Amino acid sequence: MNKFLWLASAALLIAQSSFAQDELSLKVSGRGYIDGSQVIQNSDEHEPSGMSISDLRVGISGKWENWSAKIDLGYAQKKISYKDIYLQYNFKPNSYARIGHYAEPIGIDYMESSGNIKFIDAGIVQQAFAPGRRFGIEYIGWNKGLWVGAGAFDDANFSNKRNGQEAGDGYSLTGRVVYAPMYNPGSIFHIGIATSYRVPTAGNYHEDRIDSYGCTLGSPVISDEFNTANVEHAKHNLRLGTELIAAYNRIAIQSEYIYSNTSRTNTISDLKSYKAWGAYGQAAIQLIGQPYEYSQSWARLALPKPGSLELAVRFAHVDLEDPEAGLGVHELTTNNGKTLQVGRITNQLTVGLNYYYKPFLRFKLDYDNSHLRGMESFNMITGRIQFFF
C-alpha cells in the first residue's frame, strides 16, 4: 500500500509540473470501489460474506499535438496491478494506433471500463474467454457506424511476466469488426464479430503450453474460480465471438457468444482438441433517465447520464466440459471436507440495480445465482459504492 501511495503522490507532482507550459496537457484521474457481499444460501461450500476495496486506482493521461498517452495503476488484494499504460498516435479524431498495455478487442465488458458495465462484476463468459489486458500494438478506426480494431499482443499477463511466472513467448492476433446501421439516441442496432488466434504462453520457460480458463461466482469479494479448465499440451487456440446490441428508447439488450478451440501437440496422440463455449444475454431499462445512447468510438452503449436509475438482468452460460479432450467431470473437495463429483458447466443469473447519482458517484446492487453442475446454487447479494475523481 505504501508503494501505491508513493506512486500516486508522484503522479500528482508530475501533473502539476511545468510540462504543461510546453503545450502538453495533463489530467489526473482516479477511482475507488467499495464492495460488500452477503451469501444467502450455500450448502456444499462455505464461502464467507465480507467487504473489500476491490479497486483503488490512480492515473495520468496527457496530450501533445497528435500524440496522447496514459498511465493507470490499480491497487487491490495488497498488490499493485498494471491497467492501461500506452502511447497513442492519433491519425484523425476517429482513428489511431497505440502501443502498450490495454484490453484486446474481444469481449465487450472487458473492453469497457469496469466502472461503466451494467453489473458489479463482468460476467462468467468474459471471465472465461476474454483475455483482457495484454501488452501489444493495435489500430482502431470508426466512421458512419463501422468500427474496426486489430492488433498483435503478448499472450502473457504483464504482471505475471514481470514476476517471472510466465515465459512470455506466447502471442495472439486479435481483431473486431462492428456494423451499427442505427446509432441515434433511443434507436440503436449493432452487430459485431471478433476473432483471436493465440499461441499460449509456456509457463516458467517449460516446453509444455497450457491454455487456461476459469470463472468465479460473480462477486469481486469472493475471487475463487470454481469452474476451471487447464488444457495441457496446447499448440494454438482459435476463439470466435459474435455480439449484438440494440436499444429502443429506454430499453436496451446486449448479448455475446464466444467459441474456443484449442489444438494440441502431435506428441500426445490420445488427447483430442479441446472445445468450449459461452454465451450470455442481458436486458436493461432506465426506470428514471433518458433514452440509451451509443458510443461510436468504442462501439458499445454509452454510460447513462447522472440521475438515471437502471434495472438490468443477465443470464450467462459457460461450458468448459469436453470429456473427449480429457476435461470432464472431476472430484472437488469443499472447505467442509465434502467430496463432490462436479462438472465444468456454469449457469449464472444476475439482477442489478444501478443509480448514477453524480458523475463522480454511483451506487450498484446485484443479486447473483450461480450454479456449477454437481453443486448446489450459490446465492448472494453484492453492493458497491463507486467514486471517481
Side-chain angles (χ1 to χ4, degrees):
M1 184 65 176
N2 291 334
K3 186 183 293 184
F4 179 78
L5 292 175
W6 183 88
L7 289 170
S9 300
L12 290 172
L13 289 173
I14 292 172
Q16 296 173 359
S17 69
S18 60
F19 286 109
Q21 300 175 5
D22 297 325
E23 299 182 355
L24 171 63
S25 62
L26 292 172
K27 178 182 178 182
V28 176
S29 61
R31 73 182 71 167
Y33 302 158
I34 302 174
D35 297 330
S37 288
Q38 175 65 49
V39 177
I40 302 173
Q41 174 188 343
N42 189 359
S43 299
D44 288 333
E45 185 75 11
H46 295 289
E47 284 296 326
S49 303
M51 297 186 66
S52 72
I53 298 178
S54 300
D55 198 7
L56 182 61
R57 198 176 302 184
V58 64
I60 302 174
S61 58
K63 293 183 179 181
W64 182 75
E65 294 184 350
N66 290 343
W67 295 91
S68 58
K70 185 177 182 180
I71 299 175
D72 199 14
L73 302 175
Y75 181 82
Q77 298 179 354
K78 299 181 179 180
K79 63 180 180 180
I80 295 174
S81 60
Y82 301 94
K83 303 300 182 181
D84 290 337
I85 303 175
Y86 59 79
L87 177 66
Q88 178 174 304
Y89 182 79
N90 303 290
F91 299 104
K92 296 179 180 179
N94 62 339
S95 66
Y96 59 83
R98 61 180 176 175
I99 183 171
H101 187 255
Y102 41 82
E104 295 187 37
I106 182 171
I108 296 175
D109 279 1
Y110 272 11
M111 294 180 64
E112 176 68 280
S113 167
S114 60
N116 295 351
I117 59 178
K118 301 295 183 188
F119 303 92
I120 290 176
D121 212 9
I124 56 177
V125 176
Q126 311 286 316
Q127 293 178 19
F129 299 104
R133 290 182 175 90
R134 294 290 188 268
F135 189 86
I137 183 170
E138 74 173 348
Y139 168 82
I140 289 178
W142 65 94
N143 187 31
K144 296 181 180 180
L146 181 64
W147 187 99
V148 176
F153 301 86
D154 187 340
D155 187 61
N157 179 279
F158 190 62
S159 296
N160 291 343
K161 183 180 179 181
R162 181 175 179 270
N163 295 329
Q165 298 173 14
E166 293 181 342
D169 62 342
Y171 67 90
S172 62
L173 304 174
T174 305
R176 176 181 181 235
V177 178
V178 168
Y179 177 57
M182 296 187 296
Y183 50 88
N184 295 317
S187 180
I188 299 167
F189 184 77
H190 150 135
I191 54 173
I193 185 170
T195 186
S196 183
Y197 174 84
R198 319 185 68 82
V199 175
T201 293
N204 294 321
Y205 294 97
H206 293 167
E207 293 183 1
D208 188 30
R209 301 178 185 274
I210 299 177
D211 192 20
S212 298
Y213 303 82
C215 54
T216 68
L217 299 174
S219 168
V221 177
I222 304 172
S223 58
D224 296 337
E225 291 186 339
F226 276 71
N227 189 0
T228 62
N230 294 312
V231 186
E232 298 179 344
H233 310 292
K235 185 177 181 181
H236 53 75
N237 169 261
L238 180 64
R239 298 180 192 181
L240 178 65
T242 59
E243 59 188 63
L244 168 69
I245 295 176
Y248 175 74
N249 201 350
R250 291 184 292 147
I251 299 175
I253 61 172
Q254 177 178 305
S255 67
E256 283 184 272
Y257 167 86
I258 301 179
Y259 169 80
S260 181
N261 188 318
T262 301
S263 298
R264 299 166 106 164
T265 58
N266 295 329
T267 57
I268 310 299
S269 59
D270 57 336
L271 291 180
K272 296 184 178 180
S273 297
Y274 171 75
K275 302 176 181 63
W277 67 278
Y280 75 88
Q282 67 185 47
I285 179 171
Q286 292 196 52
L287 304 175
I288 301 173
Q290 302 298 318
Y292 280 101
E293 297 183 10
Y294 189 72
S295 171
Q296 293 189 62
S297 60
W298 279 107
R300 61 195 181 211
L301 290 175
L303 184 71
K305 290 180 169 54
S308 299
L309 180 65
E310 180 181 54
L311 177 66
V313 60
R314 174 182 65 199
F315 179 78
H317 175 88
V318 165
D319 186 349
L320 302 180
E321 194 168 298
D322 189 350
E324 293 186 356
L327 290 161
V329 176
H330 62 291
E331 286 190 353
L332 175 67
T333 301
T334 65
N335 290 338
N336 59 7
K338 188 177 180 180
T339 301
L340 302 174
Q341 297 291 325
V342 300
R344 304 177 193 270
I345 298 175
T346 298
N347 292 317
Q348 183 186 69
L349 173 68
T350 307
V351 180
L353 186 66
N354 307 315
Y355 182 35
Y356 304 87
Y357 178 54
K358 298 290 183 182
F360 56 85
L361 188 60
R362 303 168 198 161
F363 302 93
K364 293 187 175 184
L365 183 66
D366 281 6
Y367 163 77
D368 281 286
N369 175 280
S370 298
H371 177 74
L372 177 64
R373 190 160 73 91
M375 298 180 68
E376 293 193 20
S377 297
F378 290 84
N379 295 274
M380 68 185 73
I381 294 177
T382 303
R384 166 174 287 181
I385 300 173
Q386 298 180 177
F387 58 91
F388 304 81
F389 62 87

